[in-house]
């Protein structure tokens, strides 16, 4: 990149500056959403610090409790949940939070405008073995009047109602990737600055690819169409890449071209991933970057959630690859 291009490029802009610049693109923007995005980034920075030294502190491993899914809660799951709830409470923009780690809606401030649905630390069983993990978040505007208690309809909105969504990937570098419906941008954490800095602007996903991500250990419990698609991938000599951390698999496939599949199995009759705080956010990012996300029949973002922790099948990634999977179902 030559000097003029480098100077003219927006690469290197801090997240704060980027949010401020983009806010001016939103007529009548009051700055509340901007502040909320900053609050999420702040929580991500704090969690990043803790993850990076988790092997040295007694914060890895399970804590002996299970979440509403019946899954063993990891210490960092609970720490991340507390960090996010505290950052969003202090930020003042959030009326309620839906979290994988809380059975019920967490009411924050009934005088605030936004709802956040999040998985504070997805893939957390990977923490102990130093595999990358991620935070996933969706942001909605509340439906009920400000000043009243939050209702279920505030938090059970379909994905098309998201005003913003994204993830923080704690990987070889820590990145925050988000959309407000005007494209997808990626920010890399610069530790010496303590800032997220724009590193990937206007991310576009390849229309197709040669990577498929699925847990083939469940092969014999998949429906025939899914098994036939996996056979198709092998015939095409595609690459099987499955980290066991949804954000990492999704992020790689968005850049390189690929499809991530989590279908129903005999153990997860409706699929394993959660619609409200995992599938919807990544579906928004996928569509905004030119990809696609379905439950095998319908767009993920059209599905009307009926309960907080509802699960869904997930077929997400490069548009032509998702269409190809669906042609087998
Ligand atoms: P399995 C992690 O628990 C997670 O929610 C996703 O991050 C990941 O892709 C998937 O589940 C892994 O599930 O059943 O293949 O181990």
């Amino acid at each position: 990149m030559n000097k003029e291009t480098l100077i003219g490029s927006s690469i290197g802009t801090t997240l704060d500056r980027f949010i401020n610049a983009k806010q001016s693109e939103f007529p009548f923007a009051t700055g509340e959403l901007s502040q909320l995005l900053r609050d999420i980034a702040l929580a991500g920075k704090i969690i990043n610090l803790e993850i990076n030294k988790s092997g040295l502190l007694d914060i890895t491993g399970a804590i002996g409790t299970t979440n509403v899914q019946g899954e063993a809660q990891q210490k960092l799951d609970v720490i991340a949940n507390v960090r996010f709830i505290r950052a969003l409470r202090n930020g003042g923009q959030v009326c309620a939070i839906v979290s994988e780690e809380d059975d019920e809606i967490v009411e924050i401030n009934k005088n605030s405008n936004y709802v956040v649905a999040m998985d504070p630390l997805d893939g957390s069983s990977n923490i102990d073995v130093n595999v990358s993990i991620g935070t996933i978040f969706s942001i909605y505007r509340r439906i009920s009047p400000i000043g009243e208690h939050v209702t279920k309809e505030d938090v059970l909105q379909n994905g098309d109602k998201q005003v913003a969504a994204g993830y923080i990937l704690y990987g070889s570098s820590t990145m925050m990737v988000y959309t407000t419906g005007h494209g997808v941008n990626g920010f890399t954490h610069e530790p010496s600055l303590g800032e997220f800095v724009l590193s990937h602007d206007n991310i576009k996903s390849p229309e197709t690819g040669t990577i498929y991500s699925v847990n083939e250990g469940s092969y014999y419990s998949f429906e025939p169409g899914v098994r036939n698609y996996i056979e198709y991938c092998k015939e095409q000599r595609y690459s099987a890449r499955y980290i066991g951390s949804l954000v990492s698999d999704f992020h790689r496939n968005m850049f390189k071209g690929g499809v991530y599949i989590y279908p129903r199995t005999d153990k997860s009759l409706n699929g394993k991933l959660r619609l409200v705080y995992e599938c919807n956010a990544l579906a928004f990012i996928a569509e905004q970057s030119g990809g696609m996300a379905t439950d095998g029949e319908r767009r993920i973002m059209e599905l009307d959630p009926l309960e907080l922790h509802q699960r869904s099948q997930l077929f997400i990634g490069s548009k032509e690859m998702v269409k190809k999977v669906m042609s087998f179902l």
Side-chain angles (χ1 to χ4, degrees):
M1 190 184 281
N2 65 42
K3 190 160 62 84
E4 285 63 36
T5 314
L6 194 60
I7 291 169
S9 155
S10 49
I11 297 294
T13 307
T14 64
L15 176 63
D16 269 10
R17 287 236 173 91
F18 184 87
I19 291 172
N20 290 342
K22 290 296 178 186
Q23 180 178 310
S24 59
E25 289 176 2
F26 284 89
F28 319 115
T30 60
E32 291 174 341
L33 178 59
S34 297
Q35 182 54 48
L36 176 46
L37 287 167
R38 287 190 200 94
D39 297 336
I40 290 172
L42 173 61
K45 290 180 199 172
I46 295 169
I47 292 165
N48 180 53
L49 280 175
E50 285 165 338
I51 287 172
N52 287 346
K53 57 192 178 196
S54 56
L56 300 172
L57 308 171
D58 181 24
I59 57 174
T60 57
I63 54 177
T65 57
T66 60
N67 62 18
V68 66
Q69 333 292 338
E71 292 166 345
Q73 284 181 298
Q74 307 295 313
K75 290 173 188 165
L76 264 174
D77 273 338
V78 175
I79 292 171
N81 196 44
V82 167
R83 291 279 182 245
F84 264 96
I85 291 174
R86 187 177 297 162
L88 295 179
R89 186 188 305 278
N90 294 341
Q93 308 306 325
V94 170
C95 58
I97 294 172
V98 173
S99 167
E100 180 185 72
E101 302 308 325
D102 289 292
D103 302 1
E104 302 303 328
I105 301 169
V106 180
E107 185 152 6
I108 302 291
N109 178 344
K110 61 184 187 329
N111 299 315
S112 297
N113 218 347
Y114 290 98
V115 170
V116 171
M118 66 177 183
D119 183 351
L121 216 47
D122 175 72
S124 52
S125 55
N126 291 311
I127 294 168
D128 296 357
V129 292
N130 212 6
V131 168
S132 56
I133 48 185
T135 296
I136 308 172
F137 64 89
S138 289
I139 300 173
Y140 296 88
R141 199 167 281 109
R142 72 183 295 171
I143 295 171
S144 59
I146 282 191
E148 293 185 10
H149 286 293
V150 166
T151 64
K152 279 261 183 175
E153 66 169 352
D154 286 320
V155 299
L156 292 180
Q157 302 182 50
N158 71 33
D160 277 329
K161 300 288 193 323
Q162 293 173 99
V163 291
Y167 55 84
I168 299 169
L169 174 55
Y170 311 97
S172 43
S173 65
T174 294
M175 279 190 73
M176 179 164 165
V177 177
Y178 79 90
T179 182
T180 56
H182 300 267
V184 178
N185 292 285
F187 300 79
T188 297
H189 188 246
E190 168 46 84
S192 59
L193 283 178
E195 289 280 3
F196 280 108
V197 174
L198 183 65
S199 52
H200 301 74
D201 62 336
N202 195 22
I203 299 168
K204 288 300 172 199
S205 180
E207 283 277 310
T208 189
T210 59
I211 294 171
Y212 69 106
S213 306
V214 61
N215 183 342
E216 294 199 46
S218 305
Y219 178 86
Y220 290 107
S221 73
F222 291 152
E223 64 178 86
V226 173
R227 293 206 299 270
N228 293 337
Y229 178 70
I230 292 173
E231 295 309 315
Y232 168 80
C233 291
K234 294 177 191 291
E235 288 156 11
Q236 300 300 312
R237 303 302 302 277
Y238 286 175
S239 297
R241 293 284 184 275
Y242 192 71
I243 298 174
S245 189
L246 169 60
V247 174
S248 304
D249 281 317
F250 173 83
H251 185 80
R252 179 204 54 245
N253 291 350
M254 179 169 68
F255 282 98
K256 290 181 176 284
V259 65
Y260 173 98
I261 299 171
Y262 207 109
R264 62 172 68 93
T265 67
D266 52 357
K267 288 181 195 158
S268 307
L269 298 177
N270 297 313
K272 175 182 182 184
L273 300 169
R274 272 68 64 151
L275 175 60
V276 171
Y277 44 78
E278 290 173 332
C279 300
N280 270 331
L282 297 185
F284 196 10
I285 295 279
E287 292 196 3
Q288 283 289 311
S289 61
M292 189 174 182
T294 79
D295 68 348
E297 291 167 23
R298 297 172 56 198
R299 283 176 64 240
I300 287 291
M301 295 205 290
E302 286 171 6
L303 304 176
D304 291 321
L306 302 175
E307 51 188 56
L308 299 184
H309 303 285
Q310 174 175 332
R311 298 174 190 269
S312 171
Q313 293 198 106
L314 182 63
F315 302 84
I316 190 169
S318 296
K319 183 178 289 187
E320 293 312 314
M321 297 186 82
V322 174
K323 286 179 180 173
K324 189 70 178 178
V325 185
M326 291 178 71
S327 72
F328 279 81
L329 300 183

